[in-house]
């Protein structure tokens, strides 16, 4: 669409040019949102920095400038939706006997919203087929999310238990949102939360 | 290796020729095992009937002759390892209070053995990225495995509950065998079975 968006990312003036649109705080977000969409729709393998740049209507050099390599764009795109620093306290706060339910609600909140579903779906798809993406999942989801939750638990093997809880939610995501297995795919989220919360609660507190 | 294995599958004499090795009961199995390995190693997208034929050292026409399309080879390769007619009775028989444990043991039996892990890993990877493979998963795993288990359960929403149990095992497979999330990836299977069995038991019987 924009002139130059098909260019093979020429390195003009040794620094990324401001491209066809002005760079600024919005440019970074626009690149991340384009990256999210590209990774989610095409998968890790078929997504390129140049494709992300094109979707964001910026020069590819600007993508490299803000984020570095494709893996680093991927990690940033994934992290954008979670904001673990905000999310984790809100899950851990509140009565301990409702922890499983709060975790289940957080999970369905992310997956039922198409905007936040896209990047997590991208991680899931990519992690299953590409070691680079699996590494992002290990590093981000596990280290940053689960270990911080585990640190707050008063059970033996807290990280293992947090992983078992996470594995259940990951599997539900696979069957409900990706595979579309019925009746799970069409079940009311409230009904699933009611059935799943005691499982999460048991892993995290008993 | 074998002469002609690089040929673009010429249709000789209108029927698949017996190729470089004699066709027979072993040929079908050899093709399926090659298909299993190819799908597991390359993923659904990058696996071709010709590649499977080459790995099995047969003519591609023979693969089509025995199985039909790529999707049909895929379905057969997946089914080979499960043999649901044998597996399901052995899970359902025995004391009902150990059903969760038997299911967990069956699951780890499949995944801990590299020979049977390959095809299920292929299904999982492929189902997340290709609708054709997702359809195989819905049709085979869900209809043939879960609904038959569900038919034997004495709980409300038996299929939904069987799917929740399956989702937990699928998620464990993702984190333990694909992503390699620690400590789950290195944990003793017996320890995980002990932790997971009560969850499966609750879904299936309570």
């Amino acid at each position: 669409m924009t002139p130059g968006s098909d260019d093979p990312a020429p390195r003009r003036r040794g620094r990324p040019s401001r491209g066809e649109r002005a760079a600024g705080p919005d440019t970074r977000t626009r690149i991340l949102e384009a990256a999210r969409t590209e990774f989610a729709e095409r998968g890790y393998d078929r997504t390129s920095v140049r494709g992300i740049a094109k979707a964001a209507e910026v020069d590819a050099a600007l993508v490299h400038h803000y984020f570095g390599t494709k893996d680093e764009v991927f990690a940033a795109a994934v992290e954008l939706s979670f904001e673990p620093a905000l999310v984790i306290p809100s899950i851990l706060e509140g009565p301990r006997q409702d922890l499983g339910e709060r975790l289940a609600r957080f999970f369905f909140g992310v997956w039922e919203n198409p905007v936040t579903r896209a990047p997590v779906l991208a991680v899931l798809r990519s992690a299953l087929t590409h070691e680079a993406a699996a590494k992002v999942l290990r590093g981000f989801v596990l280290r940053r999310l689960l270990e911080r939750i585990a640190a707050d638990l008063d059970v033996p093997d807290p990280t293992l238990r947090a992983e078992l809880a996470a594995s259940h939610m990951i599997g539900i995501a696979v069957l409900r949102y990706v595979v579309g297995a019925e009746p799970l795919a069409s079940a009311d989220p409230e009904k699933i939360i009611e059935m799943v919360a005691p499982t999460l609660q048991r892993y995290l507190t008993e």
Side-chain angles (χ1 to χ4, degrees), chain A residues 13-29:
Chain A
R13 282 168 266 146
R15 275 239 125 190
S17 91
R18 295 199 158 238
E20 295 72 28
R21 289 201 189 183
D26 285 351
T27 308
R28 198 178 179 278
T29 308

Side-chain angles (χ1 to χ4, degrees), chain A residues 151-167:
Chain A
D152 208 62
L153 302 179
D154 188 23
V155 287
D157 307 309
T159 309
L160 181 59
R161 285 159 168 273
E163 281 178 350
L164 286 176
S167 76

Side-chain angles (χ1 to χ4, degrees), chain A residues 21-22 25-35 52 55-58:
Chain A
R21 289 201 189 183
D26 285 351
T27 308
R28 198 178 179 278
T29 308
R30 200 164 74 240
I31 293 170
L32 278 184
E33 282 170 0
I52 292 167
E57 300 183 13
V58 299

